[in-house]
Each structure stands twice: as C-alpha cells, then as structure tokens.
Amino acid sequence: MKSRSNLTAHLVAFVVVAIWGSTFVFTKLLLQHGLSPAHIFTLRFLIAYLLMIATELAVRPRHLLGHLLSATWRDELVMAVLGVTGGSLYFLAENAAMLYTTATNTSLIVCSCPLFAMLLIALVYRRSERLTKTQVAGSLLACAGMAIVVLNGHFVLHLSPLGDLLAFTACLCWAVYSLLMKSVTGRYSALFITRKVFFYGLLTILPYYLLVPGFPPLGVLLDTEVLWSLLFLGVVASMLCFLLWSWVIYRLGAVAATNWVYFNPITTIVFAWWLLHEQITPWFLLGTVFILVGMYLSDKRAKANKV
C-alpha cells in the first residue's frame, strides 16, 4: 500500500513539474503584452490567494477564521520565509537573471537546485539524515543529465557575473524552500502552508513597487490572451501545483520530491517541440536517460530514509 502511495506521489510530482515546464509559453506571451516579471508574479499569486480564500470561506468559513496564524510565532516566521524563498525573491531573481545572462545559464543554475537542496538538508539534519554514495551518485547523474538536456550539444557557456548570481540566488531560494518545507509538512495541512506562501509572497513583493512603481492598464489585463494566461498561471500553475507540491514533499520527502525539478527542462523542451515545432535531438534523449537513472538511484535511498 505504501509503495502504491509513493507511486501516486511520483506521478503527481511529474504532472506538477510538467505544468511548471509549460509556464514559459504563457509567461512569454505576457511579457510580449508589456507585463514585467514582477507584474506576472504578483497577479498569478494574487489570483491564487484570493481563490483559495474564497473557496475556504464558502466551504469552511469557521475553519479559515480559526487557522489564520500558525501555532507558534516561530512557525509563522518559517511561513514568511517560505513565502520569500518560494515566492517573491525566487521569481524575481529567476526572471531578472534572464535579463543579464542567457536562458541556458539560467536554466542550468536554477535547475541544479535539487543538488543544493540535498546537501543543505544533509548538513542541517546531519545527525538523522546521512547521504549514501548511491544517493550522491544518483543526484550527480541526474544533474549531469539535466545539463546535457539544457546544453543540447552546445557546450559553450557565456559567463555573466550579475545574471549568474541572480540565477544562483533563485537556486538557493528553492533549496531553502525545500529545507523549510520539511519542518512544517505533517504538522500543517498543504492548504494552510500554500495559503501562507501566497500571502507572504505577495506581502514581500510590495517593496519592489516602491522602487519600480506602475502597473499594466486594465485594458491590457482584460485582453483575452492575457486573461487566460494569467488564469492558467494563477489557478493551475500556482494554486493547484503549490498545493500538490506540498503534499508530494510530505509523501516523498524533500530530497526525492525536489529531484523532480531535474525534469523541468525536459518538459519545457517537449512543450517547445509540441507548440513551437522545435527539434528533439539525441542529446535530449541521452540526458533524459541520465535523469531517469539518476532519480531512480537517488530515490532508493529516499524510500529507505525519507527526507
């Protein structure tokens, strides 16, 4: 029964990562309509947060009012940091990196976050969580596969200190997010954690608008393509996916769940092949095999000692 539950969690993780891999299409469309990365983040999180609040008020209003705050102020602080590392700072750093460095550099650095998450979790929980050679080898193999997929046979990197630093900031943000999720999943529901992430993500993005004021006019936001793209990003890619991701981390552990991020470039390329008619290369197939084998080896340890 447990193995069947884990299989379900892996399938859910695959679906979530596949959806996240498709968001580049909708984000690109919104950027073409004049929205900035900060505007896109704010609107998608605002849609997700308001929808969650409205749903809870309609279904369980008393439960919502009784669960506005965490059990302790320490946990509330953790929720705030989750909102920053999984929300405002992560998205701003990742999108801003694209302005100063190449998409290849950004993807390589950001998608290496499972490796950093594994090391960070092992460091913090070094007494209870020890990495095995198999787990390290599996994660390194998956990371190598991800690099092969992203580079696609063009092994040339253009260094850009500022852009690469911003991408690395996003990478560390997701690693910290994965670490902190380990401390709250199981004690709080996925619904509560996700609602908190959206709230603090929105709260901590507000200072950005003091530095860069302004927002797209209503006419742009009501454009059919813009509206549908925002609804997809807010309802599906944010609300549903963040809810499911919290559950996946609870079921599989932070390391096994975060390893699925290696799949992000794969799903992105598949969508590019499907929607933009880009070519699938042998390098893509080789990298995919590396990722699958690496994730299998890494997950063998995760099943024995869930982290």
Side-chain angles (χ1 to χ4, degrees), residues 190-268:
L191 186 65
F192 180 86
I193 295 170
T194 305
R195 173 159 47 84
K196 283 294 184 180
V197 169
F198 292 151
F199 173 77
Y200 283 112
L202 288 168
L203 187 65
T204 53
I205 196 65
L206 293 179
Y208 172 87
Y209 289 102
L210 296 177
L211 300 174
V212 187
F215 215 68
L218 186 60
V220 172
L221 299 180
L222 293 179
D223 178 88
T224 304
E225 284 190 330
V226 171
L227 188 58
W228 279 110
S229 296
L230 286 173
L231 286 175
F232 175 82
L233 292 174
V235 178
V236 180
S238 294
M239 188 186 77
L240 292 180
C241 284
F242 271 79
L243 272 172
L244 291 172
W245 194 251
S246 298
W247 177 80
V248 167
I249 288 180
Y250 172 68
R251 293 302 312 171
L252 298 179
V255 170
T258 307
N259 275 342
W260 276 99
V261 174
Y262 288 132
F263 246 79
N264 203 301
I266 295 177
T267 57
T268 298

Side-chain angles (χ1 to χ4, degrees), residues 29-269:
L29 186 147
L30 292 173
L31 291 171
Q32 290 173 346
H33 279 78
L35 278 72
S36 72
H39 297 153
I40 297 170
F41 164 77
T42 303
L43 289 168
R44 66 183 284 185
F45 263 46
L46 183 62
I47 290 170
Y49 182 68
L50 292 178
L51 185 58
M52 289 190 71
I53 292 294
T55 302
E56 286 191 82
L57 284 174
V59 178
R60 298 188 300 175
R62 293 183 179 179
H63 181 272
L64 173 63
L65 295 175
H67 293 81
L68 292 176
L69 296 174
S70 305
T72 66
W73 283 108
R74 182 178 179 180
D75 285 350
E76 191 68 18
L77 179 61
V78 171
M79 298 294 176
V81 178
L82 285 172
V84 173
T85 56
S88 55
L89 183 57
Y90 171 80
F91 281 96
L92 281 179
E94 182 183 45
N95 289 313
M98 299 285 287
L99 300 176
Y100 300 100
T101 189
T102 63
T104 299
N105 282 32
T106 303
S107 185
L108 268 177
I109 296 171
V110 173
C111 289
S112 65
C113 70
L115 185 61
F116 289 94
M118 181 185 69
L119 295 174
L120 187 59
I121 290 170
L123 179 64
V124 173
Y125 294 95
R126 57 184 178 274
R127 292 184 178 180
S128 58
E129 312 293 352
R130 294 183 179 179
L131 298 177
T132 65
K133 293 180 180 179
T134 301
Q135 190 174 13
V136 173
S139 188
L140 289 174
L141 185 63
C143 190
M146 177 273 299
I148 292 172
V149 169
V150 172
L151 291 172
N152 197 27
H154 304 286
F155 300 100
V156 178
L157 292 177
H158 302 280
L159 298 181
S160 174
L162 178 57
D164 294 343
L165 180 61
L166 286 167
F168 187 66
T169 299
C171 171
L172 289 182
C173 278
W174 197 257
V176 172
Y177 179 82
S178 302
L179 171 71
L180 294 179
M181 284 292 286
K182 174 179 168 60
S183 68
V184 295
T185 52
R187 295 193 296 116
Y188 294 95
S189 69
L191 186 65
F192 180 86
I193 295 170
T194 305
R195 173 159 47 84
K196 283 294 184 180
V197 169
F198 292 151
F199 173 77
Y200 283 112
L202 288 168
L203 187 65
T204 53
I205 196 65
L206 293 179
Y208 172 87
Y209 289 102
L210 296 177
L211 300 174
V212 187
F215 215 68
L218 186 60
V220 172
L221 299 180
L222 293 179
D223 178 88
T224 304
E225 284 190 330
V226 171
L227 188 58
W228 279 110
S229 296
L230 286 173
L231 286 175
F232 175 82
L233 292 174
V235 178
V236 180
S238 294
M239 188 186 77
L240 292 180
C241 284
F242 271 79
L243 272 172
L244 291 172
W245 194 251
S246 298
W247 177 80
V248 167
I249 288 180
Y250 172 68
R251 293 302 312 171
L252 298 179
V255 170
T258 307
N259 275 342
W260 276 99
V261 174
Y262 288 132
F263 246 79
N264 203 301
I266 295 177
T267 57
T268 298
I269 290 175

